[in-house]
Amino acid sequence: MRYDFEQMLVDQADRTLEGIEEFVHWLEHAAHEEPVALQHREDMVDALRYDLEEKLRDAFSTPFDRQDIYSLSRQMDYILNYAHETSREMYAFSVLPDRPIMDMSHALLRGTGQLSRGVKKMNSNQKTIWTIIQEARKAMREIDDAYIYGMKDLFQTVDFMSAMKKREIYHHLRDAGRALRATVDLLHKAVVVIDISDE
Protein backbone atom coordinates (compact mmCIF):
# COMPACT_ATOMS: atom_id res chain seq x y z
CA MET A 1 0.00 0.00 0.00
CA ARG A 2 1.47 3.34 -1.08
CA TYR A 3 0.15 5.49 1.77
CA ASP A 4 -0.24 4.65 5.45
CA PHE A 5 -3.70 6.11 6.06
CA GLU A 6 -4.01 4.58 9.50
CA GLN A 7 -0.84 6.38 10.61
CA MET A 8 -2.15 9.62 9.07
CA LEU A 9 -5.31 9.27 11.16
CA VAL A 10 -3.18 8.57 14.25
CA ASP A 11 -1.16 11.73 13.59
CA GLN A 12 -4.32 13.79 13.14
CA ALA A 13 -5.86 12.35 16.30
CA ASP A 14 -2.71 13.15 18.29
CA ARG A 15 -2.57 16.72 16.97
CA THR A 16 -6.29 17.14 17.64
CA LEU A 17 -5.78 16.03 21.23
CA GLU A 18 -2.91 18.51 21.60
CA GLY A 19 -5.23 21.20 20.24
CA ILE A 20 -7.91 20.44 22.82
CA GLU A 21 -5.22 20.39 25.53
CA GLU A 22 -4.18 23.86 24.30
CA PHE A 23 -7.82 24.98 24.44
CA VAL A 24 -8.25 23.83 28.04
CA HIS A 25 -4.92 25.42 29.00
CA TRP A 26 -6.10 28.68 27.43
CA LEU A 27 -9.35 28.52 29.40
CA GLU A 28 -7.52 27.88 32.66
CA HIS A 29 -4.71 30.40 32.27
CA ALA A 30 -5.25 32.95 29.49
CA ALA A 31 -8.93 33.29 28.61
CA HIS A 32 -8.59 37.07 28.66
CA GLU A 33 -6.02 36.88 25.83
CA GLU A 34 -6.50 36.25 22.12
CA PRO A 35 -6.18 32.47 21.47
CA VAL A 36 -3.31 32.75 18.99
CA ALA A 37 -1.63 29.44 19.89
CA LEU A 38 -4.89 27.59 19.35
CA GLN A 39 -5.14 29.06 15.85
CA HIS A 40 -1.70 27.62 15.08
CA ARG A 41 -2.83 24.22 16.34
CA GLU A 42 -5.91 24.31 14.15
CA ASP A 43 -3.84 25.30 11.10
CA MET A 44 -1.51 22.36 11.75
CA VAL A 45 -4.40 19.88 11.93
CA ASP A 46 -5.98 21.36 8.80
CA ALA A 47 -2.70 20.78 6.93
CA LEU A 48 -2.70 17.13 8.01
CA ARG A 49 -6.30 16.70 6.87
CA TYR A 50 -5.64 18.34 3.49
CA ASP A 51 -2.64 16.07 2.97
CA LEU A 52 -4.69 12.98 3.79
CA GLU A 53 -7.43 14.05 1.39
CA GLU A 54 -4.90 14.62 -1.40
CA LYS A 55 -3.37 11.19 -0.91
CA LEU A 56 -6.80 9.60 -0.63
CA ARG A 57 -7.67 10.84 -4.12
CA ASP A 58 -4.41 9.39 -5.44
CA ALA A 59 -4.51 6.02 -3.65
CA PHE A 60 -5.34 2.83 -5.55
CA SER A 61 -6.31 0.92 -2.40
CA THR A 62 -7.05 1.79 1.24
CA PRO A 63 -7.09 -0.27 4.48
CA PHE A 64 -10.85 0.28 4.77
CA ASP A 65 -13.53 2.20 2.90
CA ARG A 66 -12.08 5.46 1.59
CA GLN A 67 -15.31 7.33 2.36
CA ASP A 68 -15.00 6.22 6.00
CA ILE A 69 -11.37 7.39 6.09
CA TYR A 70 -12.40 10.76 4.69
CA SER A 71 -15.38 11.09 7.05
CA LEU A 72 -13.34 10.08 10.09
CA SER A 73 -10.72 12.70 9.29
CA ARG A 74 -13.32 15.38 8.51
CA GLN A 75 -15.40 14.81 11.63
CA MET A 76 -12.27 14.75 13.79
CA ASP A 77 -11.37 18.15 12.34
CA TYR A 78 -14.70 19.58 13.49
CA ILE A 79 -13.81 18.88 17.14
CA LEU A 80 -10.92 21.32 17.11
CA ASN A 81 -12.74 23.73 14.81
CA TYR A 82 -15.57 24.13 17.31
CA ALA A 83 -13.15 24.48 20.23
CA HIS A 84 -11.29 27.21 18.38
CA GLU A 85 -14.52 28.99 17.45
CA THR A 86 -15.52 28.83 21.11
CA SER A 87 -12.28 30.51 22.16
CA ARG A 88 -12.65 33.21 19.50
CA GLU A 89 -16.18 34.00 20.59
CA MET A 90 -15.25 34.04 24.26
CA TYR A 91 -12.46 36.52 23.55
CA ALA A 92 -14.64 38.67 21.27
CA PHE A 93 -17.60 38.67 23.67
CA SER A 94 -15.44 39.10 26.81
CA VAL A 95 -16.82 35.89 28.33
CA LEU A 96 -14.69 34.27 31.00
CA PRO A 97 -14.94 30.54 31.80
CA ASP A 98 -17.64 29.47 34.25
CA ARG A 99 -18.36 26.04 35.71
CA PRO A 100 -20.39 24.67 32.75
CA ILE A 101 -17.75 25.85 30.27
CA MET A 102 -14.97 24.19 32.25
CA ASP A 103 -16.99 21.00 32.83
CA MET A 104 -17.79 20.67 29.13
CA SER A 105 -14.21 21.44 28.12
CA HIS A 106 -12.67 18.92 30.51
CA ALA A 107 -15.13 16.27 29.33
CA LEU A 108 -14.27 17.15 25.72
CA LEU A 109 -10.59 16.69 26.57
CA ARG A 110 -11.23 13.30 28.16
CA GLY A 111 -13.32 12.17 25.21
CA THR A 112 -10.75 13.35 22.67
CA GLY A 113 -8.07 11.53 24.64
CA GLN A 114 -10.07 8.32 24.32
CA LEU A 115 -10.58 8.99 20.61
CA SER A 116 -6.82 9.35 20.17
CA ARG A 117 -6.29 6.05 22.00
CA GLY A 118 -8.97 4.42 19.89
CA VAL A 119 -7.46 5.47 16.57
CA LYS A 120 -4.15 3.95 17.68
CA LYS A 121 -5.92 0.70 18.59
CA MET A 122 -7.93 0.30 15.38
CA ASN A 123 -6.31 -3.07 14.70
CA SER A 124 -6.74 -4.33 18.27
CA ASN A 125 -9.37 -6.80 19.38
CA GLN A 126 -12.98 -5.70 19.73
CA LYS A 127 -12.92 -5.82 23.54
CA THR A 128 -10.08 -3.29 23.75
CA ILE A 129 -11.61 -0.83 21.31
CA TRP A 130 -15.09 -1.23 22.81
CA THR A 131 -13.78 -0.22 26.26
CA ILE A 132 -12.19 2.89 24.75
CA ILE A 133 -15.37 3.78 22.86
CA GLN A 134 -17.46 3.36 26.01
CA GLU A 135 -15.18 5.75 27.88
CA ALA A 136 -15.40 8.28 25.05
CA ARG A 137 -19.19 8.06 25.08
CA LYS A 138 -19.22 8.57 28.84
CA ALA A 139 -17.37 11.87 28.29
CA MET A 140 -19.95 12.85 25.66
CA ARG A 141 -22.77 12.31 28.14
CA GLU A 142 -20.92 14.52 30.61
CA ILE A 143 -20.80 17.28 27.99
CA ASP A 144 -24.55 16.99 27.47
CA ASP A 145 -25.21 17.01 31.23
CA ALA A 146 -23.05 20.10 31.78
CA TYR A 147 -24.79 21.82 28.88
CA ILE A 148 -28.27 21.12 30.24
CA TYR A 149 -27.45 22.26 33.78
CA GLY A 150 -25.63 25.31 32.44
CA MET A 151 -28.62 26.30 30.31
CA LYS A 152 -30.94 25.75 33.27
CA ASP A 153 -28.97 28.31 35.28
CA LEU A 154 -28.89 30.76 32.34
CA PHE A 155 -32.67 30.69 32.09
CA GLN A 156 -32.85 31.79 35.72
CA THR A 157 -30.46 34.74 35.44
CA VAL A 158 -31.62 38.35 35.26
CA ASP A 159 -28.56 39.40 33.24
CA PHE A 160 -30.04 38.88 29.79
CA MET A 161 -27.00 40.04 27.79
CA SER A 162 -24.59 37.80 29.71
CA ALA A 163 -26.97 34.87 29.28
CA MET A 164 -27.12 35.41 25.50
CA LYS A 165 -23.32 35.45 25.23
CA LYS A 166 -22.87 32.34 27.33
CA ARG A 167 -25.62 30.54 25.43
CA GLU A 168 -23.53 30.91 22.25
CA ILE A 169 -20.46 29.52 24.02
CA TYR A 170 -22.39 26.58 25.48
CA HIS A 171 -23.79 25.76 22.04
CA HIS A 172 -20.36 25.70 20.41
CA LEU A 173 -19.00 23.41 23.11
CA ARG A 174 -21.97 21.10 22.68
CA ASP A 175 -21.30 21.12 18.93
CA ALA A 176 -17.72 20.05 19.68
CA GLY A 177 -19.15 17.19 21.72
CA ARG A 178 -21.43 16.21 18.85
CA ALA A 179 -18.46 16.22 16.48
CA LEU A 180 -16.67 13.94 18.94
CA ARG A 181 -19.70 11.63 19.01
CA ALA A 182 -19.83 11.44 15.21
CA THR A 183 -16.10 10.72 15.03
CA VAL A 184 -16.29 7.96 17.63
CA ASP A 185 -19.25 6.40 15.79
CA LEU A 186 -17.22 6.40 12.56
CA LEU A 187 -14.25 4.90 14.39
CA HIS A 188 -16.47 2.13 15.74
CA LYS A 189 -17.81 1.43 12.25
CA ALA A 190 -14.29 1.32 10.78
CA VAL A 191 -13.08 -1.03 13.50
CA VAL A 192 -16.00 -3.41 12.89
CA VAL A 193 -15.20 -3.43 9.16
CA ILE A 194 -11.50 -4.09 9.84
CA ASP A 195 -12.36 -6.87 12.27
CA ILE A 196 -14.72 -8.56 9.78
CA SER A 197 -12.19 -8.29 6.94
CA ASP A 198 -9.57 -10.03 9.10
CA GLU A 199 -11.75 -13.07 9.74
Side-chain angles (χ1 to χ4, degrees):
M1 193 173 299
R2 186 175 175 188
Y3 303 118
D4 189 346
F5 288 107
E6 291 182 20
Q7 185 58 49
M8 290 180 200
L9 290 171
V10 166
D11 292 342
Q12 184 180 347
D14 283 345
R15 301 295 85 76
T16 299
L17 176 58
E18 290 171 4
I20 300 302
E21 287 172 343
E22 180 68 42
F23 172 60
V24 172
H25 181 270
W26 178 82
L27 287 172
E28 292 176 340
H29 303 286
H32 58 286
E33 300 175 2
E34 190 172 359
V36 177
L38 192 55
Q39 174 70 65
H40 294 324
R41 295 281 186 183
E42 186 183 28
D43 290 343
M44 189 185 309
V45 173
D46 283 343
L48 290 174
R49 181 173 64 82
Y50 297 150
D51 182 59
L52 180 145
E53 290 176 2
E54 186 69 28
K55 289 180 168 65
L56 201 56
R57 284 193 294 269
D58 187 52
F60 179 74
S61 63
T62 58
F64 54 96
D65 185 80
R66 68 180 64 233
Q67 181 61 45
D68 287 345
I69 294 173
Y70 169 81
S71 297
L72 184 55
S73 175
R74 190 67 190 94
Q75 283 296 330
M76 199 187 316
D77 189 54
Y78 284 133
I79 300 170
L80 189 53
N81 285 349
Y82 282 123
H84 180 232
E85 284 301 308
T86 299
S87 68
R88 291 183 62 210
E89 287 192 349
M90 288 181 67
Y91 178 71
F93 302 163
S94 299
V95 174
L96 292 175
D98 60 8
R99 179 65 180 273
I101 289 172
M102 293 310 304
D103 285 349
M104 281 189 274
S105 299
H106 281 122
L108 181 65
L109 177 58
R110 287 192 297 277
T112 306
Q114 293 299 326
L115 171 64
S116 179
R117 284 185 61 214
V119 172
K120 291 183 177 74
K121 299 286 187 180
M122 288 178 72
N123 287 308
S124 298
N125 62 55
Q126 285 285 308
K127 184 176 180 181
T128 299
I129 197 71
W130 180 245
T131 299
I132 292 170
I133 288 171
Q134 288 289 80
E135 287 299 312
R137 287 176 174 161
K138 179 180 176 183
M140 296 174 216
R141 290 192 295 272
E142 291 173 5
I143 294 172
D144 286 339
D145 288 346
Y147 170 82
I148 291 168
Y149 288 117
M151 290 297 291
K152 175 185 174 184
D153 289 343
L154 283 188
F155 289 146
Q156 295 174 350
T157 185
V158 295
D159 187 345
F160 179 74
M161 186 57 67
S162 176
M164 288 293 291
K165 291 178 181 179
K166 287 187 175 181
R167 178 180 178 275
E168 286 295 307
I169 306 306
Y170 293 178
H171 272 263
H172 264 110
L173 282 170
R174 194 183 201 191
D175 286 339
R178 286 173 170 167
L180 174 63
R181 176 179 285 108
T183 310
V184 169
D185 287 345
L186 285 164
L187 173 64
H188 192 196
K189 177 187 175 185
V191 168
V192 169
V193 170
I194 291 171
D195 191 60
I196 291 172
S197 66
D198 288 342
E199 289 180 356

